[in-house]
């Protein structure tokens, strides 16, 4: 770990960050502090949108919906493409801002997130939802169309604020809805910035961004003029969203937490997959819904695997994301850092074997947590059962495939999982039995515009991306025309 992380600054922080409401860039009466997690220094003050400003944003989105929803699909697609161009022109600033407020390394994760997000906006704009004729008889024609919902409320988390925000914006606008987006109070700057960029290309009110506290999120879930909530965040908050959305019978998509397992079978070419599995677990310092959080390795190869994994992990540099030498940035906020302190204390108290890391040095400024590997803790331990959302991974031995499938599926979460085997067909058989929304065999973390993504069980409801993801921003409308 770098001894004392540098306090990074950049010109983009001189930018005045404003709410986007009805095409205007506005201040709020109050502001809140935004921190650089590499130093915990205040880097900006974000506008704390009021309840009245949220109402104004919803009203602006509702007004804009009238014209926006009636534009031809191709016209909206052109707007969304132009938005991708406008984002591209400010890409470097977005990347820098992302590192400064979120912590992830600028040259790898932050660049990757922003580039992927812009690619998403551009590619989503090429998709369509054509009207389907399902009957055409002598008597009548039956057509099924997908019509926009109205105003969509987007609520996003702090781990991938740009990608997860724009994953919602692009399909929402393309399908004819308008949006009010509320970013996490921990990472508001990138969303305020991409909102401002949107105002230069989109009609007023089509995309509104209101930063502020959790109470704004609650207000959105109860708002009578918001038709749908597209939420990404924790399972605990997801439950609240669902409960308070019920009053107005909102459409709700929930992308929630996970405790993803990777299962390495005895016939896997395990040496070659150590780096892939390392990054699958520790990328973004483990602050990733689909990070590998439980790594099950067959007992015949477990000891050698742990040794090689630790060796690879030891070479990674934890530090300030603005430093090009850094592979892994800090934990994004002190709340999450506190949760990790507690989890590390539990690992220590129980005397689990820790071949790498294990102690958080609280004297270092910034929320730095060392890469930590826990060797074969019991299945019932907190580090196996909970979603740590940090750079700590249990590598667990198993003997029997049936038994490991049971352990994997015993989790209340069901986001994603992976199986690693020298025998593809055998890997697929195991993967098919995983109770998760996504399973990978001998690959991991592949996403795509046309690949639906969503969680089972406590990991969520509905999907994002793909045809199904587009449909979630619409109501199905059936037309029957007599001949
Ligand atoms: P969080 O639930 O604390 O916050 C998410 C958002 O909800 C924030 O914008 C917050 O302000 C808002 N919010 C808080 N209380 C609210 C309420 N009562 N009503 C409405 N909105 C409210 O989650 P987080 O800590 O920001 O994110 C981490 C979690 O997100 C992890 O559990 C992670 O697994 C999950 N996550 C899931 C996915 C996925 O696609 N499944 C992706 C990324 C993160």
């Amino acid at each position: 770990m770098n001894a004392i992380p540098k306090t990074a600054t950049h010109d983009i922080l001189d930018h005045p960050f404003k709410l986007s409401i009805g095409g205007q860039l506005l201040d709020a009466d109050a502001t809140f502090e935004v921190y650089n997690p590499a130093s915990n220094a205040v880097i900006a003050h974000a506008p704390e949108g009021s309840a009245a400003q949220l109402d104004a944003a919803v009203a602006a989105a509702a007004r804009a919906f009238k014209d926006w929803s009636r534009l031809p699909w191709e016209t909206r697609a052109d707007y969304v493409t132009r938005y991708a161009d406008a984002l591209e022109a400010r890409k470097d600033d977005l990347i820098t801002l992302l590192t400064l407020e979120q912590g992830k390394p600028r040259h790898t994760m932050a660049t990757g997130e922003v580039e992927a997000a812009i690619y998403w906006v551009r590619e989503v704009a090429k998709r369509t939802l054509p009207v389907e004729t399902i009957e055409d008889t002598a008597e009548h024609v039956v057509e099924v169309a997908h019509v926009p919902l109205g105003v969509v409320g987007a609520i996003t988390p702090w781990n991938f604020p740009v990608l997860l925000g724009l994953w919602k914006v692009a399909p929402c606008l393309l399908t004819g809805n308008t949006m009010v987006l509320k970013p996490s109070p921990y990472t508001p700057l990138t969303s305020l910035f991409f909102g401002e960029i949107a105002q230069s290309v989109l009609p007023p009110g089509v995309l509104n961004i209101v930063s502020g506290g959790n109470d704004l999120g609650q207000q959105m879930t109860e708002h009578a003029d918001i038709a749908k909530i597209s939420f990404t965040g924790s399972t605990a908050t997801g439950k609240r969203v669902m409960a308070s959305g019920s009053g107005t019978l909102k459409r709700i998509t929930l992308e929630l937490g996970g405790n993803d397992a990777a299962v390495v079978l005895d016939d896997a070419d395990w040496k070659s997959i150590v780096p892939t599995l390392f990054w699958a677990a520790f990328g973004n310092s483990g602050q990733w819904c689909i990070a590998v959080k439980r790594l099950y390795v067959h007992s015949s190869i477990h000891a050698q695997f742990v040794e090689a994994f630790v060796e690879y992990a030891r070479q990674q540099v934890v530090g300030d994301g603005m430093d090009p030498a850094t592979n892994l940035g800090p934990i994004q906020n002190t709340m999450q850092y506190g949760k990790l302190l507690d989890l590390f204390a539990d690992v220590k108290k129980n005397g689990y074997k820790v071949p790498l890391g294990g102690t958080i040095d609280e004297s270092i400024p910034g929320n730095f947590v060392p890469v930590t590997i826990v060797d074969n803790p019991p299945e019932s331990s907190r580090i196996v059962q909970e979603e740590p959302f940090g750079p700590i991974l249990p590598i667990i031995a198993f003997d029997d495939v049936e038994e490991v499938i049971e352990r994997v599926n015993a989790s209340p979460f069901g986001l994603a999982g992976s199986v690693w085997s020298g025998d593809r067909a055998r890997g697929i058989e195991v993967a098919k039995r995983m109770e998760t929304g996504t399973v990978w065999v001998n690959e991991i973390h592949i996403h795509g515009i046309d690949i639906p993504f969503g969680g089972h069980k406590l990991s969520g409801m509905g999907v994002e991306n793909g045809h199904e993801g587009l449909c979630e921003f619409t109501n199905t409308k059936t037309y029957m025309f007599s001949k």
Side-chain angles (χ1 to χ4, degrees):
M1 184 186 292
N2 289 353
I4 304 272
K6 285 178 288 185
T7 305
T9 55
H10 193 279
D11 292 348
I12 187 63
L13 292 177
D14 297 332
H15 190 79
F17 293 98
K18 309 253 188 192
L19 309 175
S20 292
I21 299 178
Q24 289 184 295
L25 300 176
L26 300 174
D27 289 318
D29 287 343
T31 60
F32 61 97
E33 293 176 333
V34 184
Y35 303 91
N36 178 350
S39 61
N40 280 322
V42 175
I43 52 168
H45 290 85
E48 173 125 35
S50 63
Q53 284 176 312
L54 183 77
D55 280 340
V58 176
R63 276 195 306 277
F65 177 75
K66 291 197 179 105
D67 288 338
W68 181 255
S69 58
R70 295 178 64 187
L71 288 176
W73 185 282
E74 306 75 50
T75 309
R76 287 198 302 265
D78 281 348
Y79 272 117
V80 176
T81 306
R82 269 187 276 147
Y83 185 34
D85 293 341
L87 289 165
E88 186 80 48
R90 302 305 302 271
K91 187 175 93 172
D92 277 347
D93 284 333
L94 258 177
I95 294 170
T96 303
L97 261 187
L98 180 57
T99 296
L100 291 174
E101 73 170 355
Q102 206 286 333
K104 62 186 67 186
R106 189 184 192 289
H107 67 297
T108 53
M109 287 299 284
T111 299
E113 176 175 343
V114 170
E115 286 181 347
I118 296 171
Y119 168 80
W120 229 269
V121 175
R122 196 180 297 291
E123 287 301 312
V124 167
K126 298 175 187 163
R127 288 350 186 229
T128 56
L129 270 185
V131 175
E132 211 186 330
T133 303
I134 55 161
E135 267 187 41
D136 189 354
T137 66
E139 291 80 38
H140 74 167
V141 176
V142 180
E143 291 179 349
V144 175
H146 300 281
V147 298
L149 299 165
V151 179
V152 172
I155 302 177
T156 55
W158 45 261
N159 57 344
F160 286 86
V162 179
L163 184 68
L164 298 177
L166 292 174
W167 264 20
K168 300 183 189 305
V169 171
C172 170
L173 302 193
L174 181 70
T175 45
N177 305 280
T178 54
M179 177 175 269
V180 176
L181 182 145
K182 189 207 79 64
S184 165
Y186 292 115
T187 52
L189 303 182
T190 41
S191 300
L192 292 169
F193 194 60
F194 72 58
E196 179 179 336
I197 294 169
Q199 305 320 310
S200 66
V201 286
L202 299 178
V206 168
L207 177 60
N208 307 273
I209 312 282
V210 183
S211 54
N214 295 343
D215 48 328
L216 285 184
Q218 177 76 27
Q219 190 188 338
M220 287 166 78
T221 60
E222 292 168 359
H223 206 296
D225 296 329
I226 291 183
K228 173 192 169 95
I229 294 286
S230 178
F231 174 84
T232 304
S234 63
T235 296
T237 310
K239 288 179 184 174
R240 272 181 233 129
V241 169
M242 200 167 162
S244 57
S246 69
T248 47
L249 221 59
K250 284 198 187 358
R251 277 63 182 148
I252 292 181
T253 301
L254 301 174
E255 296 289 359
L256 308 178
N259 195 5
D260 290 6
V263 176
V264 181
L265 300 180
D266 53 357
D267 60 359
D269 177 12
W270 63 268
K271 275 186 198 149
S272 72
I273 59 176
V274 163
T276 305
L277 283 172
F278 175 84
W279 289 109
F282 289 92
N284 209 36
S285 298
Q287 302 163 105
W288 204 357
C289 55
I290 47 167
V292 169
K293 292 169 185 148
R294 301 177 281 162
L295 179 46
Y296 292 95
V297 179
H298 191 266
S299 53
S300 62
I301 52 175
H302 178 265
Q304 299 152 279
F305 184 94
V306 171
E307 198 180 317
F309 200 91
V310 167
E311 191 43 43
Y312 185 81
R314 208 186 286 287
Q315 296 162 34
Q316 309 313 322
V317 179
V318 177
D320 185 335
M322 293 299 280
D323 183 343
T326 293
N327 303 118
L328 295 164
I331 296 305
Q332 198 281 323
N333 56 69
T334 50
M335 175 275 296
Q336 186 61 29
Y337 180 78
K339 284 188 185 175
L340 286 163
L341 281 172
D342 183 51
L343 197 56
F344 273 62
D346 182 77
V347 166
K348 212 167 248 181
K349 185 184 81 194
N350 285 289
Y352 304 141
K353 223 162 108 191
V354 180
L356 187 69
T359 301
I360 300 175
D361 181 353
E362 293 178 71
S363 68
I364 299 176
N367 308 325
F368 290 99
V369 173
V371 170
T372 295
I373 291 160
V374 187
D375 185 0
N376 208 18
E379 188 66 24
S380 59
S381 59
R382 281 184 59 197
I383 188 57
V384 176
Q385 294 301 320
E386 294 179 15
E387 178 188 43
F389 229 59
I392 177 167
L393 176 73
I395 307 184
I396 311 145
F398 73 91
D399 292 314
D400 177 57
V401 174
E402 289 302 316
E403 174 222 329
V404 81
I405 293 172
E406 233 166 79
R407 285 156 80 176
V408 166
N409 288 341
S411 171
F413 294 107
L415 193 54
S418 62
V419 183
W420 304 81
S421 170
D423 177 346
R424 185 171 169 271
R426 185 174 173 227
I428 291 172
E429 277 315 303
V430 175
K432 281 188 174 165
R433 294 178 59 194
M434 281 190 173
E435 295 169 357
T436 56
T438 300
V439 280
W440 290 279
V441 174
N442 293 338
E443 62 179 31
I444 192 161
H445 294 166
I446 310 289
H447 284 287
I449 312 290
D450 298 311
I451 303 175
F453 171 71
H456 293 186
K457 304 197 270 187
L458 291 189
S459 291
M461 256 179 63
V463 296
E464 293 192 286
N465 304 329
H467 172 80
E468 292 85 346
L470 274 186
C471 287
E472 292 217 7
F473 285 103
T474 67
N475 272 324
T476 299
K477 185 163 184 179
T478 310
Y479 296 104
M480 280 175 257
F481 307 124
S482 168
K483 276 190 176 167

